[in-house]
């Protein structure tokens, strides 16, 4: 499969998963199933929706992942599964007009980013809107609460400005959008923190981006790069026989979304 098509599949997976997300979607939807199967050594990706963790084994049609919660999950793969590298980036590369995604903590009126993804042009418009999300990988890898409520907002970043540091709460959310303008303001913190104004169809939010949060990009790749020990973020849509997409952290990076 062509690498660019893999990026398109990843974008489609994120969009479709967002469309079917509810307050208990993804890992939340699987909580009752997992509770009923606590004695089982392995669960399947179909039970979890989103799988985050470390690759334990790779076969022609299966990925075995140890999740950050310590469970072993099998992720079926097929010829339609898309693959993408997750590579390091920085806010200094963020340009007006870029399409981004950001997982956040806090209420909708005071969102603070825990990670930012700068999407390639081929993924512009992925999952636009506001909907539920689960615990971002950057928090899950550190033992974040798997029962925490969350959301995702996909839209357009209208401005960038300096910000004042605040307090991170326990909720989490995801905001995706396009950078369309930038403006410096006085009175912001000296640490390089930023405020992004993000709009989407039907609404808008402000997202504070503290210094030091992971900033990443997606890059096209193929299944052949999968290897034991890599950190991954896999998506399996409801009713699917195999994963729709697998995002792979390059050089040990943890996919933070």
């Amino acid at each position: 499969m062509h690498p660019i098509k893999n990026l398109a599949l990843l974008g489609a997976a994120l969009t479709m998963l967002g469309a079917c997300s509810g307050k208990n979607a993804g890992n939340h939807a699987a909580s009752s199933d997992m509770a009923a199967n606590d004695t089982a050594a392995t669960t399947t990706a179909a039970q979890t929706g989103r799988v985050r963790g470390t690759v334990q084994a790779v076969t022609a049609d299966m990925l075995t992942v140890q999740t950050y919660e310590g469970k072993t999950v099998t992720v079926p793969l097929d010829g339609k599964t898309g693959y993408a590298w997750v590579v390091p980036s920085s806010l200094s590369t963020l340009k007006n007009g870029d399409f981004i995604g950001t997982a956040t903590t806090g209420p909708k009126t005071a969102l603070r980013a825990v990670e930012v993804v700068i999407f390639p042009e081929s993924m512009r418009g992925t999952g636009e809107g506001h909907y539920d999300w689960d615990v971002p990988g950057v928090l899950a890898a550190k033992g974040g609460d798997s029962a925490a409520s969350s959301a995702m907002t996909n839209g357009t970043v209208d401005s960038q400005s300096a910000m004042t540091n605040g307090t991170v709460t326990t909720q989490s959310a995801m905001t995706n959008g396009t950078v369309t303008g930038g403006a410096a303001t006085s009175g912001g913190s000296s640490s390089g923190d930023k405020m992004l104004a993000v709009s989407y169809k039907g609404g808008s939010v402000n997202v504070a981006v503290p210094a030091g949060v992971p900033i990443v990009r997606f890059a096209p790749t193929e299944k052949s790069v999968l290897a034991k020990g890599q950190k991954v973020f896999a998506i399996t849509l409801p009713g699917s026989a195999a994963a729709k997409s697998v995002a792979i952290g390059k050089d040990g990076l943890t996919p933070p979304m």
Side-chain angles (χ1 to χ4, degrees):
M1 183 178 295
H2 194 279
I4 299 300
K5 291 184 179 179
N6 280 328
L7 285 183
L9 284 170
L10 177 61
L14 291 170
T15 298
M16 294 174 69
L17 189 57
C20 66
S21 288
K23 196 63 178 177
N24 296 309
N27 288 347
H28 298 300
S31 58
S32 59
D33 290 337
M34 287 185 174
N37 292 282
D38 266 346
T39 58
T42 303
T43 60
T44 66
Q47 291 175 289
T48 58
R50 303 165 193 151
V51 176
R52 301 171 174 90
T54 304
V55 175
Q56 299 299 299
V58 183
T59 66
D61 59 1
M62 192 77 67
L63 189 64
T64 302
V65 178
Q66 182 175 33
T67 70
Y68 299 126
E69 295 79 27
K71 295 182 179 294
T72 299
V73 178
T74 58
V75 180
L77 308 173
D78 65 15
K80 296 182 180 180
T81 302
Y83 302 91
W85 281 123
V86 182
V87 300
S89 190
S90 69
L91 284 181
S92 65
T93 69
L94 191 62
K95 305 185 304 295
N96 293 348
D98 281 350
F99 192 80
I100 71 165
T102 176
T104 63
T105 60
K108 191 175 180 181
T109 54
L111 299 175
R112 288 175 63 81
V114 295
E115 61 91 33
V116 175
V117 177
I118 304 172
F119 286 104
E121 187 62 26
S122 62
M123 295 178 70
R124 177 176 294 277
T126 295
E128 185 170 5
H130 181 78
Y131 42 87
D132 295 331
W133 196 245
D134 51 6
V135 181
V138 65
L139 300 182
K142 297 177 181 178
D145 183 3
S146 62
S149 60
S150 60
M152 176 184 278
T153 309
N154 296 7
T156 300
V157 178
D158 298 313
S159 65
Q160 305 174 59
S161 61
M163 61 156 280
T164 301
N165 288 329
T167 301
V168 175
T169 67
T170 57
Q171 280 189 315
S172 68
M174 175 72 76
T175 305
N176 290 8
T178 305
V179 178
T180 59
T185 63
S186 60
S189 73
S190 60
S191 62
D193 296 359
K194 284 190 175 183
M195 179 71 74
L196 303 180
V198 182
S199 62
Y200 55 92
K201 293 177 181 177
S204 62
V205 293
N206 292 321
V207 180
V209 185
V213 302
I215 312 296
V216 300
R217 291 180 182 267
F218 287 123
T221 193
E222 300 282 356
K223 177 182 182 292
S224 59
V225 305
L226 281 171
K228 182 177 181 180
Q230 291 172 328
K231 303 294 195 305
V232 296
F233 170 51
I235 297 174
T236 300
L237 301 176
S240 297
K244 185 72 174 180
S245 65
V246 180
I248 309 152
K250 194 163 189 179
D251 298 328
L253 184 148
T254 297
M257 66 290 300

